[in-house]
Amino acid sequence: MRLLHAATALAATSALALALTACGNGSGNDTSGDQPSAPTSSSSATAAGSATAENAGATKDAGSSTGSSAAGSSTGGGTGTSSSDGTGAGRCHTAGLGFSFGSGDGKISSSDDQQQLAVVLKNKTSAACTIQGFPGVDLKSSGGSWSLTRSSATPKKVTLAAGSSTTFTITFLPWNQGSGTEFKATSVVVTPPNETTSTTLAWPGGSVLLQDGATHPGTYTGPVGS
């Protein structure tokens, strides 16, 4: 009987020991499950968030750079338009000019007996104007018209103040008996440079030797200001 009780007690003791060991092992497994894996995951999310914020900042900076483009701010300037002579004076027009003959119709000392006739252009307006170039000059007769050629002189720009004058010269070769074809001029039509409106004056000279087909005729016009 004592033997039976001793065996039973030993079995109970062994069972208790096994139960305690099992409890100790379970507690150890729970402790290992508390390792800090969540902070690692949170750290990754923070880093990703920071990267996103940095990318957003880069995008914003790029937008600011584009908005302050130098090309956009350099288009506000321009250049003004000034008059060609620097005075603001416009071109002289036929309607604003007075036409007359000057005192320069003296004889030129030469073998072909050429003569010169000065034509005066006066600014009748109250403002200055400019004139440059050769006038159109046509001699008229009862039988036709003769457009004079130009001299080889270089035109210069002339600024006429209100009431002031300038001249150009008609050089002509008078007709003499037996010298060739007579052109009985009665008037002269003058068109200022760059104008299409003309003025007609009575021709003060006599007949002119007709050379309308000559390469270098003895009758021609000079530029304004000559």
Side-chain angles (χ1 to χ4, degrees):
M1 263 324 253
R2 286 182 182 174
L3 253 142
L4 181 60
H5 285 300
T8 302
L10 182 59
T13 301
S14 297
L16 179 60
L18 288 172
L20 289 174
T21 301
C23 286
N25 288 340
S27 175
N29 289 338
D30 289 343
T31 301
S32 66
D34 290 336
Q35 293 300 317
S37 59
T40 301
S41 175
S42 173
S43 229
S44 299
T46 302
S50 296
T52 302
E54 287 175 2
N55 289 338
T59 302
K60 182 177 180 180
D61 290 343
S64 298
S65 176
T66 302
S68 61
S69 169
S73 63
S74 66
T75 59
T79 56
T81 302
S82 61
S83 63
S84 58
D85 64 351
T87 65
R91 193 180 79 241
C92 297
H93 298 288
T94 305
L97 294 172
F99 299 79
S100 62
F101 293 114
S103 57
D105 55 344
K107 192 180 212 180
I108 294 179
S109 299
S110 61
S111 59
D112 56 9
D113 202 26
Q114 279 180 313
Q115 295 184 3
Q116 288 186 314
L117 182 66
V119 180
V120 180
L121 307 179
K122 182 178 181 179
N123 181 7
K124 301 187 301 180
T125 71
S126 59
C129 66
T130 61
I131 188 168
Q132 181 179 17
F134 286 87
V137 177
D138 296 286
L139 292 181
K140 299 286 186 178
S141 71
S142 58
S145 178
W146 177 13
S147 295
L148 302 189
T149 60
R150 300 171 178 179
S151 72
S152 59
T154 301
K156 61 182 179 179
K157 180 175 287 186
V158 178
T159 300
L160 294 179
S164 66
S165 302
T166 187
T167 63
F168 72 88
T169 301
I170 298 174
T171 299
F172 65 98
L173 187 61
W175 175 82
N176 295 311
Q177 186 69 40
S179 62
T181 303
E182 180 183 12
F183 187 86
K184 296 181 180 180
T186 56
S187 63
V188 55
V189 179
V190 178
T191 308
N194 302 307
E195 291 289 293
T196 57
T197 304
S198 306
T199 292
T200 301
L201 299 171
W203 177 249
S207 295
V208 180
L209 178 64
L210 182 63
Q211 294 180 310
D212 55 350
T215 303
H216 300 289
T219 300
Y220 52 85
T221 181
V224 172
S226 61

